[in-house]
Amino acid sequence: MNESRNTLAALRSRIGAIEGPKPSPAERFALGLPSLDAQLGGGLPRGRLHELFAAGAGDRAALAGAGLMLAMRLGEGPLLWLRQDSAVRAGGRLYGPGLADLGFDPARLIEVVAPDEAGLLRAAGDAVRCAQVAAVLIEPWKAARGFDLTVSRRLSVAAEKSGVTVLLLRAEAEPGPSAAYSRWQVRSLASAAFEAGAPGHPAVEIILLRHRGGLAGLRACLEWNREEHVFREAALSGTGFPLSAGRPAGAGDQDGCGPEQLGERLSA
Amino acid sequence: MGSGFPPEAPFVLVEKLKGAMRLAAVSRAALELGFGPGLSLADARARLPDLGVADLDRRADTAWLERIADGCDRYTPMVALDPPDGLILDISGCVHLFGGEAALRGDLVARLERLGMTVLSAIADTPDAAHALARYSPNPPYRAAMGRGTVEGGGGVSPTMANAGGEVAKPIHHAAHGPPPHALHREDLSRLPVEALELDPEEAVALRRAGLRRLGDLSSRPSQILAARFGDVASERLARVAGGCDIRITPRRAEPALRLERRFAEPIGRTEAAFAAIAELLGEAVRRMEEAHHGGRRFEAQLFRTDGLVRSLRVETGLPVRDVALVMRLFDERLDTLADPVDPGFGFDLVRLSVPRCEPLAPLQLPLEGGALAEDELAQLLDRLSTRLGRNRVRRLGPRDSHIPEQAVFAFPAIEGGPAEDWPAPEPGEPPLRPTHLFDPPQPIEVVAGVPDGPPQRFRWRQQLHEVTLAEGPERIGSLWWRRADNGGLARDYYRVEDRLGRRFWLFRHGLYGREAVNPAWYIHGLFA
């Protein structure tokens, strides 16, 4: 038993040496929801690669929205959004007034549309090395087999060097091996209705799938507060609405909205 | 070029004119058999069943003419197209570089003939005179053309040249230099037929009926008589062709702010070596720009091949630059992205670097504490991405004052600089009223909605059914009826809707129910986060 513990400690230190120094709290950006930030140890680290996966094909817009909201949490500065032709065709082009409606200043945005995956990869490699960029959003199309372990490793090393935070937005893709610091799943969430049944503020559910710090199974329902650029806990969806109008059965526990451990869900 | 017919076999190019296929150009072999432009294809086939026939491609002809014009940049920067098949070069002041007019003309003709062109060329005092001499000389020298139909229509009607590289070169002789005015050209000009004036066919016929067959017959008479009978146009044309009136050509390209070139004694066959020469020229250009406190925004490298073709590479930067390594990196990016790589052929004998656009740039001062100047890093990234992907693929968004959603925003190349206007701030407390992603054009959907103007209850988009739980609307957006001739255009009723899974969409009904449309169509225009 002791022996195995020693082996484990030795392995941990070796892995720690490979992984490099742990980000300090100052290099983190908080999401703005105190309970979630506390569990994340003060937020997510800057200058790393974070992956966001859409839960379903229809969550593409929620995924893009969540990526943009996270980028807004990072602060001011130019934001590069790298997209692919096919993604623009299928998902629509970025619309300035709508981005402004999320509280984002579209003047910060530089949209780069690559004709194919190889072009996107190359542009991403260049963009991540530019320290003046506040955040880089990379939106490959579907499976995007080019984004493998090697590429993600290269991107995260470059991000650590330049301090640029990279958000990889993956819709209709299966999570594969990657060197990302954290990996989240994003799903659109029914909003808290306004008067007369009008759709309310944007809301998403995020689930932590993987984290370099060993966390797993965090789940939170977030609503975006545009005025303060901060996430807050989403009000229970379906207030004033029949529950059947909320989520379909099995898609998540309505009452358990908020950060919580979902270890059993992931181990299943 | 290269129409797949052997050069000695007769072939023709045809074009549809007034519903009949007619010959537009014929090869030399066909010309000798008596075919000419204007003959109908059926007649031609009846006379020679195995006549080679191809369609006339005017666009390809124009592109080819442009390429030849590019190649002529080696002689003079003042090159103008003389459509459909001619070029006019202003060679004043350039002649001594080539050892005289005759040598220049010989060099030009030789290069073009190597490309398989039949060339008719003339040098005269004014562009119009050169044009007339090249096209209307009574005995034009015919030469065999390879791959391209070339023809000079015979007979009394106005000669038609199609698909030929009719080269018209002309110097403008100033009093200060050059030989005295060409007495010989005067004589040649006076022997040209009156058709050389390019008047209306009826007027040319009228001149002939009056016994005036040659330009000499006209110019020997007082111009008032001509003007009284045939109008001012005829006397002005005569003045221009006969050399009394000199109208300068408008060159295809504006003169660049800076241009440097290097000629090689022997053609060099490697593109890398040519680019090494470009780098040296760039170093010289940078020195000159430094003296003038300028920086370049655009750079163009031109590689002239010995056979007369030229390859141009253009790069652009967002900020004025004076950095050789940076610009060479952009050229490398451009070389990498070329669909067809640079082919040296038999080698390049001239490279040229021009800086078409310069802007003020103060001398750089390195920071005292050392370290690199990093503030331009983003600009360099955008230059690199724009060069590699194309300037329209790296873009920023700007607001535009329009209530039509798809026109409320415009995208402009990021290389053109920062946005000029601020975006209007959203109303506090309101949820987003505009989608983050917009479909352009909107995508049709099937909708179940209340009649006449109820919100959608469910809709099918991309073969998927969405149950609407929340909806807000309609937000009615009228069409720009004042911009339309028929005062028309359908109003759109927009709805923000959310489905059972929490996905938010922007839908609209196109046309007011019953008033504008019997059964209005529905579209999805955008997605909310």
Side-chain angles (χ1 to χ4, degrees):
Chain A
M1 193 66 194
N2 254 347
E3 253 176 47
S4 65
R5 195 167 293 164
N6 286 344
T7 325
L8 206 62
L11 278 173
R12 278 225 173 98
S13 67
R14 274 178 64 190
I15 291 169
I18 295 168
E19 281 182 339
K22 289 242 152 59
S24 68
E27 290 168 336
R28 291 171 182 273
F29 66 99
L31 302 187
L33 190 65
S35 49
L36 184 62
D37 286 332
Q39 295 196 55
L40 286 171
L44 291 171
R46 294 167 187 272
R48 301 297 153 106
L49 173 67
H50 303 284
E51 287 181 334
L52 280 76
F53 281 83
D59 293 314
R60 192 184 289 277
L63 172 78
L68 191 67
M69 292 165 197
L70 282 176
M72 275 190 269
R73 291 294 306 158
L74 284 160
E76 292 301 305
L79 179 125
L80 253 73
W81 195 322
L82 312 181
R83 311 186 74 200
Q84 221 176 302
D85 263 348
S86 28
V88 174
R89 266 200 300 277
R93 60 185 167 92
L94 295 177
Y95 187 53
L99 302 179
D101 271 359
L102 287 181
F104 178 76
D105 177 13
R108 285 173 57 193
L109 176 76
I110 297 160
E111 188 185 8
V112 179
V113 183
D116 52 12
E117 196 183 306
L120 184 75
L121 263 173
R122 230 181 126 194
D126 285 345
V128 170
R129 279 179 186 82
C130 180
Q132 275 179 297
V133 177
V136 178
L137 269 66
I138 307 171
E139 193 183 346
W141 176 241
K142 287 196 175 170
R145 298 194 198 291
F147 279 81
D148 55 4
L149 182 61
T150 320
V151 167
S152 67
R153 178 89 193 130
R154 205 174 288 153
L155 282 179
S156 54
V157 166
E160 272 176 54
K161 219 170 180 179
S162 64
V164 176
T165 310
V166 187
L167 298 167
L168 192 56
L169 310 178
R170 307 292 308 271
E172 293 179 65
E174 283 300 311
S178 117
Y181 192 89
S182 70
R183 175 182 286 170
W184 300 84
Q185 192 193 68
V186 180
R187 187 195 296 276
S188 49
L189 195 67
S191 62
F194 272 48
E195 282 169 34
H201 292 296
V204 289
E205 177 202 51
I206 58 169
I207 298 172
L208 184 60
L209 300 179
R210 252 190 68 204
H211 190 268
R212 212 38 108 57
L215 296 172
L218 281 181
R219 171 169 176 266
C221 296
L222 304 175
E223 189 182 82
W224 180 245
N225 180 342
R226 172 178 69 202
E227 275 70 39
E228 287 161 35
H229 282 197
V230 72
F231 284 108
R232 62 185 172 211
E233 204 166 321
L236 274 184
S237 64
T239 39
F241 267 83
L243 269 177
S244 61
R247 307 212 66 82
D253 190 355
Q254 280 297 325
D255 303 319
C257 244
E260 56 174 334
Q261 295 290 340
L262 279 184
E264 70 282 3
R265 169 188 264 236
L266 283 154
S267 59
Chain B
M1 36 177 251
S3 55
F5 299 114
E8 63 278 2
F11 78 90
V12 295
L13 299 180
V14 295
E15 192 181 28
K16 198 165 193 170
L17 273 179
K18 289 184 185 164
M21 296 303 273
R22 291 190 180 276
L23 309 196
V26 304
S27 73
R28 178 164 156 67
L31 187 73
E32 280 167 0
L33 290 173
F35 295 104
L39 191 70
S40 79
L41 178 60
D43 290 344
R45 280 238 169 91
R47 279 155 66 179
L48 189 67
D50 56 349
L51 182 69
V53 177
D55 278 332
L56 182 71
D57 185 350
R58 286 194 189 276
R59 194 171 300 180
D61 279 351
T62 311
W64 177 243
L65 190 65
E66 292 270 3
R67 281 187 74 185
I68 296 173
D70 283 343
C72 288
D73 277 348
R74 71 163 65 226
Y75 301 107
T76 165
M78 305 278 282
V79 179
L81 296 186
D82 184 16
D85 49 12
L87 292 173
I88 297 186
L89 278 64
D90 184 341
I91 55 172
S92 21
C94 307
V95 179
H96 64 280
L97 297 171
F98 302 89
E101 280 176 11
L104 190 154
R105 184 169 162 185
D107 187 65
L108 176 68
V109 170
R111 277 180 204 276
L112 286 169
E113 283 182 348
R114 233 177 294 155
L115 287 175
M117 308 298 301
T118 300
V119 186
L120 308 172
S121 68
I123 295 184
D125 293 348
T126 69
D128 294 272
H131 172 96
L133 277 176
R135 287 169 189 258
Y136 296 96
S137 283
N139 298 306
Y142 289 118
R143 295 185 187 90
M146 267 168 35
R148 296 191 63 82
T150 300
V151 85
E152 192 79 14
V157 294
S158 109
T160 322
M161 292 205 323
N163 295 10
E167 286 297 319
V168 186
K170 73 126 207 165
I172 295 175
H173 290 290
H174 298 289
H177 66 276
H182 298 263
L184 194 66
H185 287 160
R186 284 275 148 78
E187 203 167 298
D188 285 345
L189 280 168
S190 65
R191 253 188 268 133
L192 289 181
V194 288
E195 282 77 16
L197 294 181
E198 296 186 344
L199 299 171
D200 289 341
E202 305 92 73
E203 296 193 352
V205 170
L207 282 170
R208 282 191 173 273
R209 287 209 180 122
L212 303 167
R213 291 170 195 285
R214 315 215 162 268
L215 293 192
D217 302 338
L218 290 174
S219 49
S220 61
R221 288 172 168 73
S223 63
Q224 293 93 325
I225 299 174
L226 186 68
R229 172 66 181 82
F230 295 100
D232 289 338
V233 181
S235 64
E236 194 203 324
R237 286 291 313 161
L238 181 65
R240 285 174 66 163
V241 172
C245 173
D246 184 5
I247 306 285
R248 296 296 183 96
I249 60 168
T250 310
R252 300 162 67 229
R253 252 179 248 165
E255 183 74 345
L258 198 59
R259 191 178 59 218
L260 298 160
E261 61 184 37
R262 172 157 304 168
R263 277 167 209 277
F264 303 119
E266 286 285 317
I268 52 172
R270 287 179 57 229
T271 313
E272 297 81 26
F275 266 87
I278 291 280
E280 284 172 32
L281 293 177
L282 195 57
E284 173 62 27
V286 163
R287 268 191 297 284
R288 290 201 202 169
M289 286 194 286
E290 211 154 22
E291 283 167 18
H293 292 194
H294 272 152
R297 282 282 309 275
R298 287 192 193 140
F299 297 87
E300 181 176 13
Q302 285 174 297
L303 308 173
F304 290 81
R305 278 166 42 165
T306 38
D307 58 6
L309 294 186
V310 58
R311 194 65 194 257
S312 299
L313 299 173
R314 295 187 189 94
V315 297
E316 190 179 11
T317 61
L319 297 173
V321 294
R322 253 197 326 249
D323 184 348
V324 176
L326 191 99
V327 179
M328 287 314 290
R329 229 176 11 245
L330 291 181
F331 275 130
D332 282 346
E333 289 276 359
R334 175 65 82 225
L335 271 179
D336 283 350
T337 56
L338 289 177
D340 48 335
V342 174
D343 175 17
F346 295 106
F348 303 110
D349 60 352
L350 169 68
V351 294
R352 178 181 290 169
L353 175 87
S354 29
V355 187
R357 193 165 157 201
C358 278
E359 281 179 9
L361 176 66
L364 285 185
Q365 192 174 4
L366 289 167
L368 275 178
E369 64 272 22
L373 295 154
E375 61 262 35
D376 293 343
E377 214 181 317
L378 179 66
Q380 288 178 19
L381 170 71
L382 298 183
D383 290 347
R384 207 154 61 233
L385 293 178
S386 303
T387 306
R388 193 189 305 150
L389 301 169
R391 70 203 300 273
N392 289 325
R393 285 180 171 274
V394 182
R395 57 204 183 199
R396 290 176 187 271
L397 302 177
R400 203 152 52 178
D401 189 15
S402 168
H403 68 275
I404 302 289
E406 60 270 25
Q407 292 169 6
V409 61
F410 70 102
F412 59 96
I415 207 163
E416 284 181 1
E421 279 179 79
D422 285 341
W423 287 80
E427 194 84 12
E430 286 277 320
L433 299 177
R434 290 287 179 265
T436 54
H437 292 70
L438 195 79
F439 294 112
D440 194 14
Q443 301 180 358
I445 48 173
E446 296 165 31
V447 172
V448 177
V451 170
D453 52 4
Q457 285 158 1
R458 65 180 70 89
F459 67 95
R460 187 184 294 278
W461 177 48
R462 289 183 182 159
Q463 284 127 37
Q464 217 173 354
L465 196 65
H466 298 266
E467 289 280 344
V468 174
T469 54
L470 301 176
E472 186 194 49
E475 178 188 353
R476 184 159 298 171
I477 295 182
S479 67
L480 299 174
W481 51 266
W482 59 92
R483 288 263 185 91
R484 295 174 62 119
D486 57 353
N487 254 3
L490 302 179
R492 307 179 202 167
D493 275 353
Y494 278 92
Y495 291 88
R496 291 194 305 123
V497 305
E498 183 175 299
D499 74 355
R500 284 169 58 100
L501 296 172
R503 288 148 193 180
R504 287 165 280 275
F505 307 90
W506 209 35
L507 316 179
F508 71 87
R509 185 199 288 118
H510 199 217
L512 304 181
Y513 186 86
R515 193 133 49 98
E516 290 183 345
V518 180
N519 201 2
W522 282 83
Y523 295 91
I524 180 168
H525 206 171
L527 302 172
F528 290 92

